[in-house]
Amino acid sequence: MPEGPSIVLAKEATSQFIGKKVLSTGGNSKIDKERVLNKKVTDIRSWGKHLLICFSGFTLRIHFMLFGTYLVNMRKENEARLSLEFVNGELNLYACSIKILEGSVDQYYDWSGDVMNDAWDRKKALAKLRGMPETMVCDALLDQDIFAGVGNIIKNEVLYKLYIHPESLVGRIPPAKLRKLVDEARDYSFDFLRWKRNFELKKYWLAHTRKDCLRCELPLTKKYLGKTRRRSFFCNNCQVLYI
DNA sequence: AGTCATGTTGACGA
DNA sequence: CTCGTCAACATGAC
């Protein structure tokens, strides 16, 4: 569920509720549900891994974390975190973190930092990377202040595709390579979106959860790396360690 | 059946 | 104050 492209799909799946009024609410969320009652959804947007259900004057920020899911016009057995009923259907959100953002949503987000957004700015991302030369690239890719929307799968795939060892230091990666990294983080995210839309994402994984390198056929290494201690799959033979 | 994971926050101590 | 570590949350896949 959680990486940026999946949130774009969630945005698409829920767009039918834009302009519709909330007729009733339910669920075990601790937010003030009265707040949205009889209010009209003005927009549904996304930023990185956040799904944003906008109302006049405030926004519901949905973060699905690791296990969160949503259903449109369907329900699960267990109680939803938040249910919103509209005249044309219902939206059920499960196991997610929900927060109300007061005021204009624009004041909370820099849209140019979201790899899926039209406003994505590669130059800003590059500038941020240049300001953290000692950071491991596996951590930098997961930094939502630089690559909002990039998650662990995208991280592993991008590094594998570009032959970059995950423990490489950002400041040691040649400039041309670093530019490619920034662009691939976005490009791969759109590949991810297309594949996920067709329910064939896993088919295209080159490194993530795989046993052997498709290039040299040696076994891939699986290790928990960086400050983030996230699972990394990489080829010790093909991926260059810039250090 | 037990383990693990596409994620993040907050508490706590050094 | 900042850093590292750990627990917490919660569910489906294998």
Side-chain angles (χ1 to χ4, degrees), chain A residues 147-175:
Chain A
F147 300 104
V150 169
N152 207 36
I153 298 171
I154 295 173
K155 175 198 82 178
N156 282 325
E157 292 299 301
V158 166
L159 292 175
Y160 182 79
K161 284 188 79 172
L162 294 185
Y163 297 81
I164 301 172
H165 191 290
E167 288 181 295
S168 297
L169 301 182
V170 167
R172 304 286 183 167
I173 297 173

Side-chain angles (χ1 to χ4, degrees), chain A residues 11 25 95 104 120 145 169 201 206 211 216 230 232 236 243:
Chain A
K11 179 170 65 173
T25 66
S104 165
W120 167 251
D145 291 330
L169 301 182
L201 177 64
L206 304 177
K211 282 206 122 47
C216 73
R230 299 297 301 281
S232 291
N236 238 329
I243 200 161

Side-chain angles (χ1 to χ4, degrees), chain A residues 98-147:
Chain A
I98 302 179
K99 196 180 166 188
I100 293 180
L101 304 179
E102 298 294 345
S104 165
V105 72
D106 286 314
Q107 71 192 84
Y108 294 91
Y109 294 104
D110 175 3
W111 307 103
S112 72
D114 175 3
V115 295
M116 300 306 294
N117 200 292
D118 290 343
W120 167 251
D121 188 336
R122 66 198 290 269
K123 290 207 170 97
K124 279 193 192 171
L126 269 170
K128 289 172 193 168
L129 288 173
R130 290 194 194 102
M132 47 195 297
E134 300 304 312
T135 303
M136 279 187 193
V137 68
C138 59
D139 287 332
L141 275 170
L142 292 175
D143 188 334
Q144 300 299 293
D145 291 330
I146 307 174
F147 300 104

Side-chain angles (χ1 to χ4, degrees), chain A residues 216-234:
Chain A
C216 73
E217 297 181 357
L218 290 173
L220 289 179
T221 305
K222 171 190 163 185
K223 224 171 173 180
Y224 295 81
L225 298 180
K227 290 187 176 169
T228 46
R229 311 297 304 169
R230 299 297 301 281
R231 204 161 61 138
S232 291
F233 294 88
F234 58 98

